[in-house]
Amino acid sequence: MEKKKKLGLLPKLVIAIVLGIVVGFVAQPMGNIGEIIIRIGATYNSIFGNFLNFVIPLIIIGFVAPGIADLGAGAGKTLAQTTGIAYASTIIAGTLAFVVDKLLFPMLVHADMFMADAENAEETVVSSLFTIEMPPVMGVMTALLMAFILGLGMAVIKNDALKNAVNDFSEIISKLVASVVIPLLPFHVYGIFAKLAYAGTIVELMTSFIKVFAVIIVLHVIILLFQYTIAGSAAKKNPFALIKNMIPAYTTAIGTQSSAATIPVTVECTKKNGVSDSIAEFVCPLCATIHLSGSTITLTSCSIAVMMMMGQPTTFGKMFPFILMLGVTMVAAPGVPGGAVMAALGILQSMLGFDETMCGLMIALYIAQDSFGTACNVTGDGAIAVLMDAITGKKKAAAAK
């Protein structure tokens, strides 16, 4: 019997996005009935979002710990190399944004721009009918530390009993992701876009911020081309073919607005690029927390735009230390929409002198395009995985001689 062709994840996500926007706009003139339709989707988002938050630490432990253990004695060095590459990529992205923004923003940004929309974008969105609390057993950083300790420990002591137990746990998490998380993702994406379209947040904010956003999106494309050119050269692979395979991860991130929530799809796409399972399942969950090139571009560009609007200086001496700190501070950001800007508010105030009004404007700017920064983050994670796979492959080849 011939197998029926299943609709892939990418078409499902595209359908979910289009359907969500259409339903959101159609529901606007329908009064209470329209609001109930949107709130039903928002309720699903709330429940599924809480479930994701519960599962994310388990995904990190289930993927990262076995990944480190499978790398063997070189796990510690590989971990250090991955962290260094991810941080360097983040800093390069922020510096690129500064240079381009300084050249273009004086022609695009004016002191009276955006002030009418300097509100928290989240406040315009309808609430869910009810919510079910699902507190995670641990935080994201705790899960990462646990994964590092378990993985490095297994690599050092070579305990098969513990390794088998962790591998079994990893298989359970993989089944959970494949059978539950992935199939339910398109409904989550639909709810998010329906909610924002109904509130008018997308149109209102994107119309106001279009010039700044256009520059940010172009910067995202440039940094991804740079990342995949480097990775493709190291792995002797076509960078455009590598990027094409990462499109489902990019699209998923646009809907979820969370690098951590997109981990399963990122890992799947990375494996399609020929990256070994151990590297893909180690690098992608790790980089979901420590590699934030897209978010750094967005935060750097938005902060420069706000400072120019307020007539404040935006010198390299002032912005570069801020970019360096962003690469560290955002690691603590939760895997939720808007987490990066919330984590960055402290250094925006302490290092750039942002007041309450400027912070409010910054939040509105960031949240309106959070999806695209997150999408750039996770797509870049795939490039780092390809690069790390090439580096470790060369080491293994050299050791075999």
Side-chain angles (χ1 to χ4, degrees), residues 37-47 126-129 191 195:
I37 292 172
I38 301 303
R39 291 186 70 184
I40 289 172
T43 303
Y44 176 87
N45 289 145
S46 173
I47 295 171
V126 296
S127 60
S128 60
L129 295 169
K195 200 164 50 171

Side-chain angles (χ1 to χ4, degrees), residues 279-294:
I279 291 292
E281 292 177 1
F282 165 58
V283 172
C284 293
L286 173 61
C287 286
T289 302
I290 66 172
H291 180 234
L292 298 129
S293 56

